[in-house]
Amino acid sequence: MISILFFIGSFLLTYLALPSIIKLVEDKRLMDNPNSRSSHKIKTPTLGGIAFFITLIFVLFFLRSWEINDEGIYIIPGLTILFFIGLKDDLVVLSPLTKIIAQILAVSFVLSNDSFMIETFNGFLRINEIPYYAYLVIGSFIMITIINAYNLIDGIDGLASIVGIAILILYTTIFYITKQYFFALLCVSLNGSLMAFFGYNTSTSSNKKIFMGDTGSLIVGYIISILTMKFLALPAESYDELPFLLENVPLIAISIIIVPLFDTARVFAIRLADKKSPFSPDRNHMHHVIVDYLNLSHRQASFLIGGGNIFFVVLFVILGSTAKNLGMVIMLVSVSLFIGYILFRYNYSFKVLKKKIILRNLFEKLTLKSKKNDKKGNIKD
């Protein structure tokens, strides 16, 4: 009953706040202008993440009764930092370095709470005890990676919402089973916000449409990173009720957030291979490939990717109930490389073919011109 109240309350608060945000953005002309990389063709309101921030602040206030280690008060500072950084980035584009510094500061508050401390990987790849300094490095890397990975998948209508909803459903189940009710209710509440936002984000009416922007994606990514840290930091006895081996917990965590992680790794690899900055914008994301070459709508592509995320987790939970982690690691890497290769080839086959044809035609023209000049020279001689 409590979870239903949190869900409905978050849904309504977000749903009712978004029209006011849309009106404000339109009045102040803070619209997102389309460019060559955009998936939209008209100016569209952004800053939908403001509604997430307002909702989460209310939720954290009412969740105080379920806190065990005062988690809420450690979450709010980082939430506020990322809200203002995202807001500024939506209005005036910030450098990647500025955003990374802000993220480091934001996650430091969470990592200073003992509730999120990872002391062991429970034998994963034979890693047991983790020193405190290593925990700080690993924890910072995990959280910052997830925040940026989620931020990068917000490229087509509905995708960030659907992927976020899928991830939060999985974490809700985990934290409910392990009796971590603070985090279960936090998941339910954020899911209410994302579902309310989804209707506006995928709306065909220009008067109702809005993007979450970096304001929203940084906030949602931040919460997902916190949930991941908590999942990895649960005491060993908490995993007894979960349907997978204790040593496979890190792999299950990876499978839950596989879509943003896989897409980020793939895009960064492509950019580095092209000798570009990994943060340089382009249309090489997985969702762009699906929309551009499979000719799917944004909503169809979003549901396809979100469904794939859930399928991948279910598969790994089933395998993780019996398989040793080394075998699962090999499988995870193999599947990721295979899918990445297919998407890479599919994404670039048309472009590469076009470039080859252009270069071949240019070469033939130059060769033909060179032969004509040689003939003229020989005639004169």
Side-chain angles (χ1 to χ4, degrees):
M1 183 62 182
I2 294 296
S3 60
I4 295 174
L5 289 175
F6 271 94
F7 176 83
I8 294 175
S10 299
F11 182 94
L12 290 176
L13 188 56
T14 303
Y15 188 83
L16 296 174
L18 285 172
S20 298
I21 296 170
I22 292 173
K23 188 175 186 306
L24 176 64
V25 171
E26 288 178 340
D27 289 345
K28 298 299 180 181
R29 298 181 181 179
L30 305 175
M31 315 282 275
D32 184 71
N33 295 312
N35 53 43
S36 59
R37 297 179 295 102
S38 300
S39 297
H40 61 291
K41 297 180 180 179
I42 61 173
K43 292 182 178 181
T44 306
T46 183
L47 306 180
I50 294 175
F52 299 161
F53 179 74
I54 295 170
T55 301
L56 285 170
I57 292 298
F58 274 94
V59 166
L60 289 171
F61 174 81
F62 289 106
L63 278 178
R64 291 176 301 164
S65 302
W66 285 272
E67 290 179 345
I68 298 175
N69 294 305
D70 297 323
E71 290 92 348
I73 200 65
Y74 286 84
I75 293 173
I76 290 174
L79 192 67
T80 306
I81 291 170
L82 293 182
F83 168 72
F84 283 109
I85 285 294
L87 189 65
K88 187 171 183 180
D89 192 46
D90 284 330
L91 300 175
V92 182
V93 178
L94 298 175
S95 68
L97 180 60
T98 302
K99 293 167 71 173
I100 290 293
I101 292 172
Q103 290 166 18
I104 293 172
L105 183 60
V107 304
S108 64
F109 288 96
V110 174
L111 296 177
S112 64
N113 187 307
D114 292 342
S115 175
F116 301 98
M117 186 180 297
I118 303 173
E119 298 178 342
T120 177
F121 275 161
N122 302 302
F124 172 70
L125 298 181
R126 298 183 180 179
I127 301 173
N128 288 298
E129 293 185 8
I130 298 177
Y132 183 72
Y133 68 87
Y135 150 72
L136 292 176
V137 174
I138 293 170
S140 298
F141 176 78
I142 290 172
M143 294 188 70
I144 291 172
T145 299
I146 294 173
I147 292 169
N148 286 287
Y150 188 83
N151 183 34
L152 288 172
I153 67 164
D154 184 24
I156 60 174
D157 297 342
L159 180 59
S161 303
I162 289 295
V163 171
I165 289 168
I167 291 172
L168 291 168
I169 288 173
L170 295 165
Y171 273 134
T172 300
T173 305
I174 288 172
F175 290 124
Y176 178 78
I177 292 173
T178 56
K179 297 180 174 57
Q180 296 289 332
Y181 299 121
F182 171 86
F183 294 98
L185 290 172
L186 181 60
C187 292
V188 168
S189 302
L190 185 53
N191 238 339
S193 287
L194 286 175
M195 289 183 183
F197 172 79
F198 179 77
Y200 285 94
N201 187 219
T202 57
S203 175
T204 55
S205 172
S206 58
N207 295 326
K208 293 183 178 180
K209 194 175 188 65
I210 188 171
F211 299 149
M212 68 168 64
D214 278 13
T215 313
S217 59
L218 290 178
I219 287 174
V220 178
Y222 176 64
I223 297 298
I224 291 175
S225 72
I226 290 170
L227 298 172
T228 303
M229 286 297 297
K230 183 61 184 179
F231 176 47
L232 294 173
L234 289 173
E237 58 272 16
S238 297
Y239 297 109
D240 293 342
E241 301 298 321
L242 296 173
F244 44 80
L245 298 177
L246 182 62
E247 65 185 46
N248 287 327
V249 169
L251 283 172
I252 300 300
I254 292 173
S255 68
I256 291 174
I257 52 176
I258 189 64
V259 166
L261 290 183
F262 171 77
D263 187 56
T264 300
R266 175 183 167 277
V267 169
F268 276 22
I270 291 173
R271 291 171 183 172
L272 290 172
D274 289 341
K275 298 180 180 180
K276 297 179 181 178
S277 165
F279 297 100
S280 59
D282 53 36
R283 283 185 62 84
N284 288 323
H285 288 278
M286 177 172 57
H287 46 268
H288 290 140
V289 176
I290 292 173
V291 169
D292 291 345
Y293 297 112
L294 295 186
N295 198 28
L296 297 179
S297 68
H298 287 198
R299 185 176 292 211
Q300 290 172 332
S302 297
F303 277 111
L304 176 64
I305 295 171
N309 194 356
I310 293 178
F311 171 78
F312 204 90
V313 174
V314 171
L315 174 64
F316 261 68
V317 167
I318 293 172
L319 293 175
S321 62
T322 55
K324 295 296 183 181
N325 58 68
L326 181 58
M328 289 184 64
V329 168
I330 294 172
M331 179 184 174
L332 176 64
V333 173
S334 300
V335 171
S336 298
L337 289 175
F338 177 71
I339 296 174
Y341 175 77
I342 291 175
L343 287 172
F344 179 84
R345 293 291 298 173
Y346 195 36
N347 188 20
Y348 277 88
S349 59
F350 295 100
K351 293 181 179 179
V352 170
L353 181 60
K354 186 177 179 181
K355 287 179 180 179
K356 285 182 177 179
I357 292 172
I358 293 172
L359 289 172
R360 186 183 65 188
N361 291 339
L362 181 62
F363 178 75
E364 288 177 353
K365 286 181 180 179
L366 290 173
T367 304
L368 184 62
K369 188 175 181 181
S370 177
K371 287 180 179 179
K372 287 182 179 179
N373 290 334
D374 289 342
K375 286 182 180 179
K376 288 180 180 179
N378 291 333
I379 291 172
K380 288 181 180 179
D381 292 340

